[in-house]
Amino acid sequence: NELLFTLRQTYAEYLRASEELSLHEEHAHLVSDLYELAQVSYGQNQASASALHETRVALGKLHGDIAMIEADVARARVRLNLLSGRAPDAALGPAISPPEVNTPTNRERAVRAQAVARLREREAEREVSRLVTRRPEWMLGLDYMAMPSDGEYARYGAMLSMTMPWFASSLTSRARRAESELEAERAERASVELAVRMEVEEARVELTQARRSVELVEREWLGHAREAYEVERDAWKSGRSDAQRVLSRLDALLEARMALVRAQRDVRVK
């Protein structure tokens, strides 16, 4: 179902944007804490004015990113509502991961079922045409006539007729056309099944790769990025680092968390 597929993709975009918005708001809070720390350190002559400016600029950039992501969330919400037959500004519940209802196996079953239904319809039409061209139609008629003027009160008659479909060119042409349509439907079904199998196998490969990407980001990237940020932040608090290096580590952490959100989104839509 194309509508269901579009709805699912739109919801995945809404979920992705909502998660990215939450991440940016959380990181804005972290940068705000860093800015307050820079203010205190600057007042105690333990930080330079550049530290203040760098953290303030980083906070402003995050606020700008948040505004753009909020627009993405709003657009996805409008699309979801319209696709669901709701008012564009209707409120949505919290964004949660949807169940897997459009798996490759389910799609394969649906397409095959449609092809089989069309093929059975053609087979039924072919059978009707075959019967029409091979079986004659019989008609039996009985007549009764009242004729008092001839001195006879009634006459009776009977009539038996039979069609001869073997000599009807139009019926023969109809049967040939039904047979041709059936063969074309069989060929189309084979083509559709091949295309679906290819699509399913490609989807399985993409899904496997998407899941592996999630695993790699979680195991190889995210944990190290979080640890690097925490170490650099603690070093800055003790005067062994500076704001620029802390913000750089924080940007790397945000990038890793965003990569995880997008990889998870790819898993949902495969």
Side-chain angles (χ1 to χ4, degrees):
N1 188 302
E2 190 66 26
L3 177 59
L4 180 60
F5 180 72
T6 303
L7 186 62
R8 183 174 176 80
Q9 281 197 316
T10 304
Y11 185 80
E13 287 299 322
Y14 172 70
L15 183 58
R16 176 199 60 78
S18 298
E19 291 176 344
E20 288 188 6
L21 179 60
S22 178
L23 285 181
H24 278 75
E25 289 174 341
E26 182 180 338
H27 277 252
H29 182 70
L30 293 175
V31 175
S32 180
D33 290 343
L34 293 177
Y35 179 64
E36 291 177 1
L37 179 60
Q39 286 180 311
V40 173
S41 299
Y42 180 73
Q44 297 174 351
N45 294 322
Q46 296 177 353
S48 63
S50 64
L52 277 176
H53 294 309
E54 288 171 357
T55 52
R56 188 67 188 87
V57 168
L59 186 59
K61 180 179 181 300
L62 277 171
H63 286 162
D65 292 341
I66 287 172
M68 289 189 292
I69 298 173
E70 285 176 338
D72 292 340
V73 172
R75 281 193 292 268
R77 183 187 300 115
V78 168
R79 290 194 64 199
L80 269 178
N81 282 328
L82 292 176
L83 287 171
S84 304
R86 292 152 48 97
D89 56 350
L92 293 177
I96 59 175
S97 296
E100 291 189 4
V101 297
N102 192 36
T103 61
T105 302
N106 287 340
R107 170 161 172 73
E108 186 177 12
R109 289 197 198 101
V111 174
R112 283 183 175 177
Q114 292 174 0
V116 169
R118 289 197 302 268
L119 182 60
R120 287 177 178 172
E121 181 180 350
R122 296 299 184 192
E123 288 176 341
E125 292 177 358
R126 194 275 304 267
E127 183 64 18
V128 170
S129 297
R130 186 185 68 81
L131 293 176
V132 167
T133 57
R134 293 186 179 182
R135 292 184 180 179
E137 296 180 356
W138 297 85
M139 184 176 67
L140 175 63
L142 297 175
D143 297 328
Y144 170 76
M145 295 175 288
M147 305 180 64
S149 61
D150 294 339
E152 299 181 10
Y153 292 100
R155 286 184 180 180
Y156 300 92
M159 179 182 66
L160 178 66
S161 65
M162 180 188 74
T163 61
M164 303 181 70
W166 312 282
F167 304 104
S169 60
S170 61
L171 294 179
T172 304
S173 298
R174 177 182 172 184
R176 290 199 191 100
R177 185 168 61 252
E179 186 70 28
S180 176
E181 290 176 352
L182 178 60
E183 292 302 320
E185 197 67 44
R186 285 173 176 165
E188 182 182 353
R189 177 187 175 182
S191 176
V192 168
E193 287 187 342
L194 176 60
V196 170
R197 285 198 298 270
M198 292 174 61
E199 181 182 344
V200 167
E201 292 307 317
E202 290 174 0
R204 286 198 179 106
V205 171
E206 292 174 356
L207 180 59
T208 300
Q209 186 58 43
R211 287 173 173 165
R212 177 166 173 75
S213 295
V214 171
E215 180 184 349
L216 289 174
V217 171
E218 290 179 332
R219 187 180 71 243
E220 303 291 343
W221 189 359
L222 183 58
H224 295 302
R226 180 177 287 109
E227 182 179 357
Y229 161 69
E230 292 172 351
V231 168
E232 203 68 49
R233 180 198 58 196
D234 293 341
W236 186 37
K237 289 181 179 179
S238 61
R240 293 180 289 108
S241 184
D242 55 46
Q244 185 175 7
R245 295 177 65 181
V246 175
L247 292 172
S248 175
R249 296 290 187 272
L250 187 58
D251 285 343
L253 175 58
L254 178 59
E255 183 181 357
R257 297 184 72 182
M258 293 276 287
L260 178 60
V261 167
R262 289 166 182 168
Q264 290 171 337
R265 182 262 178 193
D266 289 341
V267 170
R268 296 185 191 108
V269 300
K270 296 304 180 184

